[in-house]
Amino acid sequence: MAQVELAELDFDWQDEDARLAALAATGILDSPPESSFDAITRLAAEYFQADTVLLGFADVSRVWIKSSWGEPVRELPRKDSIFEMVMAEDGPVVVADTATHPVLMTHRYICRRLEVHSFASAPVRSCDGKILGVLTIFSSQPRRPMALDELRMLESLAEMAASQLELRRLRRVMETCGPHPVRIVKGPEKSWPRRPDLRAALEQRQFVLHYQPEVEIATRRIVGLEALIRWQHPERGLLPPAEFIPAAEENGMILPIGDWGLAEVCRQIQEWNCEMPSLSSVRVCVNLSAPQFSREGLADHVEALLMRSSISSGQLGLEMTESSLVSDQPTALDVLSHLRKLGVSLLMDDFGTGYSSLQHLHSFPFDVLKIDRSFVNRMTQGEQPRQIVRTILELARVMGMDAVAEGIETPAQQHLLDEMGCRYGQGFFYARPMSAEAVTRLLELPGRILPEPDLQAAHAH
Ligand code: C2E
Ligand code: MG
Ligand code: MG
């Protein structure tokens, strides 16, 4: 009894007020279910083979359950909860056998209702480190001690939940600020390029593909290429995709342009195969836009192209962003499964920039996850951005996917990624996108190993 009173005296109410304020700012309590959080509990259940997984946030007196797997629980009393144990530890808690645990052996909910014999729980923190909730996996079996990388996985999933929570908070801040304080001045109506301009460009063969190498970070060996479209405009010069792909997506011209891109890549691979028989291990990737997925027959089209150009399906990769998949999920899933069966690699591009990355990662059969360059860019700015990259790498590993870091520009970024165990990378630090002719010269290098960069040149970029 005395101990309890002492603990209550020690309790830092000021800190608790700040914690509750941080929790309130997210608006998570009593909110409806969200698939992004459900994806996290489901992933935890599958990975740990857990009977029950709870993701809960602690109010003054209760732990409110945002997402549960296995057991539909709405809330639990906070007193004597696992949340309190995690708070006391200020970190994860693992109990391998509740039957021998002095407090838990008589715990009403944990032992009697759930018949839990073991559990592990990791904190879900606010961006300034306050513990707002916990992600807990329960098992009806006593479990072997948790391996370090299992614990890291649980913590990674809890961090994913924390990122979702932070996104929620930011969205609320934006909503409560009302209309954007900065007036956005509308530019002149975007009238160029129109459909006929794009049609003419296609007919006059003004589109070209440039290729950017994808390398194995440790060896600088080229393992793949990404095809990136440009428009060689007779008056305006070489135009990047940002200047015409959005318009093409809007007016439907992306379909014939996309078909051209796919056919051109297959033709180019075929040409390389004739010149360099050893090239079969280099995968050439093409970017696809949303409308290309919603159309019937993408997989059949790709299959026909592969047959016609007699290249092996393993030489072709297709990159797509999360946003290109959300519009029509069931069709996208069918199309992707069909493509996967053909043996074509599927790469999720710009990972982390969509709203429910984890959900997509889980539902679609991707082989490769490309970490968006914004994360790589921020990595040298502090521990938190580095932790995000680590988490993404861990996720890729758990899901059996390769990870490619996009937009590596500096030796420091390369070094950090290498240390974190990221195997593949792409970016100006290795090579910029270049013409097919120029990239052919790189592919002819001994072992396809890129020479060490002239560091000064890399800095100059
Ligand atoms: P993406 O697929 O994420 O391609 C990577 C972009 O990052 C490319 O821009 C590339 O030049 C750029 N990049 C690569 N390394 C670095 C680096 O170290 N630093 C910086 N700052 N940038 C780097 P690009 O070529 O302008 O392409 C932009 C986007 O346009 C692509 O993003 C892709 O979404 C789209 N795109 C490109 N080609 C096609 C295409 O054939 N079809 C479709 N539908 N979209 C395409
Ligand atoms: Mg791409
Ligand atoms: Mg990208």
Side-chain angles (χ1 to χ4, degrees):
M1 195 63 200
Q3 257 181 351
V4 172
E5 279 168 9
L6 203 61
E8 279 174 359
L9 275 179
D10 275 352
F11 196 79
D12 188 340
W13 288 108
Q14 225 171 357
D15 218 41
E16 176 62 3
D17 281 350
R19 196 193 72 79
L20 289 171
L23 182 67
T26 67
I28 192 87
L29 290 176
D30 301 301
S31 61
E34 278 169 78
S35 54
S36 47
F37 289 99
D38 290 341
I40 294 171
T41 46
R42 191 180 61 214
L43 196 59
E46 283 168 16
Y47 181 75
F48 292 100
Q49 299 285 297
D51 300 302
T52 305
V53 179
L54 299 180
L55 172 63
F57 297 96
D59 205 346
V60 182
S61 60
R62 60 182 178 147
V63 179
W64 179 78
I65 307 298
K66 173 68 183 174
S67 175
S68 64
W69 197 94
E71 171 83 17
V73 191
R74 303 282 297 278
E75 57 183 54
L76 297 164
R78 177 171 159 179
K79 191 168 171 296
D80 298 334
S81 65
I82 294 174
F83 173 80
E84 292 295 356
M85 295 173 74
V86 171
M87 280 288 269
E89 278 299 315
D90 194 25
V93 170
V94 180
V95 172
D97 190 357
T98 51
T100 55
H101 192 279
V103 178
L104 293 170
M105 56 196 291
T106 54
H107 198 286
R108 197 159 40 90
Y109 186 78
I110 294 175
C111 282
R112 306 238 172 98
R113 169 81 202 275
L114 290 180
E115 294 179 357
V116 164
H117 276 108
S118 61
F119 69 85
S121 188
V124 178
R125 295 178 190 268
S126 64
C127 54
D128 58 351
K130 296 188 174 61
I131 301 180
L132 304 185
V134 284
L135 175 68
T136 311
I137 54 166
F138 297 93
S139 170
S140 55
Q141 307 292 322
R143 64 174 292 145
R144 57 188 167 72
M146 215 174 200
L148 195 63
D149 67 337
E150 283 184 301
L151 186 59
R152 220 182 298 133
M153 180 64 198
L154 184 66
E155 288 181 294
S156 297
L157 289 166
E159 273 156 24
M160 252 358 221
S163 307
Q164 295 293 342
L165 206 62
E166 176 62 4
L167 267 179
R168 251 181 150 277
R169 187 186 70 81
L170 290 173
R171 250 182 264 147
R172 279 166 57 89
V173 169
M174 278 158 68
E175 276 159 22
T176 50
C177 285
H180 202 285
V182 182
R183 267 195 54 208
I184 297 169
V185 182
K186 249 190 150 182
E189 206 54 45
K190 200 157 172 53
S191 56
W192 191 88
R194 290 180 194 277
R195 216 180 137 83
D197 303 315
L198 292 163
R199 163 78 54 202
L202 195 57
E203 282 165 7
Q204 290 162 26
R205 300 169 181 271
Q206 289 172 359
F207 293 116
V208 284
L209 292 180
H210 278 190
Y211 295 87
Q212 186 180 31
E214 196 188 294
V215 306
E216 186 178 47
I217 291 178
T219 59
R220 308 179 63 83
R221 186 169 54 90
I222 301 176
V223 293
L225 298 172
E226 177 173 9
L228 296 158
I229 197 167
R230 272 97 184 90
W231 180 355
Q232 185 65 67
H233 193 276
E235 285 121 42
R236 300 175 191 238
L238 192 67
L239 302 177
E243 298 213 18
F244 59 93
I245 290 290
E249 285 173 346
E250 233 165 76
N251 63 33
M253 274 303 287
I254 192 66
L255 297 178
I257 295 174
D259 285 350
W260 170 82
L262 270 167
E264 172 57 17
V265 159
C266 292
R267 189 205 60 74
Q268 183 64 67
I269 298 174
Q270 193 181 15
E271 189 182 311
W272 278 326
N273 282 349
C274 293
E275 292 167 5
M276 297 174 274
S278 67
L279 204 74
S280 57
S281 58
V282 174
R283 177 180 56 207
V284 187
C285 299
V286 189
N287 291 281
L288 295 183
S289 293
Q292 295 176 269
F293 280 100
S294 331
R295 185 174 53 159
E296 290 274 309
L298 173 70
D300 291 334
H301 180 63
V302 170
E303 189 169 10
L305 276 174
L306 290 173
M307 300 260 283
R308 190 159 9 117
S309 52
S310 62
I311 61 174
S312 105
S313 57
Q315 288 184 282
L316 185 68
L318 300 176
E319 297 197 3
M320 61 221 79
T321 59
E322 296 161 76
S323 52
S324 63
L325 298 172
V326 283
S327 52
D328 191 359
Q329 280 222 15
T331 312
L333 188 57
D334 284 349
V335 173
L336 293 190
S337 309
H338 188 163
L339 287 167
R340 180 90 189 256
K341 269 196 215 115
L342 292 178
V344 172
S345 303
L346 303 176
L347 297 85
M348 178 173 270
D349 208 350
D350 304 347
F351 182 77
T353 54
Y355 266 111
S356 47
S357 307
L358 199 57
Q359 188 195 358
H360 289 131
L361 203 56
H362 196 69
S363 348
F364 294 109
F366 285 100
D367 306 275
V368 179
L369 185 160
K370 296 189 81 171
I371 305 173
D372 189 65
R373 84 163 178 264
S374 56
F375 297 112
V376 174
N377 209 306
R378 286 196 292 261
M379 234 174 26
T380 40
Q381 291 171 7
E383 185 47 36
Q384 201 173 15
R386 280 200 284 278
Q387 191 52 42
I388 294 178
V389 175
R390 258 185 229 115
T391 306
I392 298 178
L393 287 170
E394 180 66 8
L395 265 172
R397 193 187 65 78
V398 166
M399 312 218 49
M401 297 163 68
D402 279 334
V404 177
E406 298 190 278
I408 304 178
E409 292 184 350
T410 65
Q413 290 165 348
Q414 162 182 264
H415 181 70
L416 278 170
L417 286 160
D418 194 23
E419 252 181 13
M420 289 176 188
C422 177
R423 226 175 132 196
Y424 303 106
Q426 181 181 343
F428 295 170
F429 179 62
Y430 301 105
R432 288 181 170 251
M434 61 190 86
S435 67
E437 215 185 349
V439 91
T440 305
R441 285 194 290 276
L442 295 185
L443 292 172
E444 286 166 347
L445 289 169
R448 289 197 301 277
I449 293 178
L450 291 176
E452 284 294 325
D454 176 342
L455 292 187
Q456 278 188 348
H459 283 304
H461 285 323

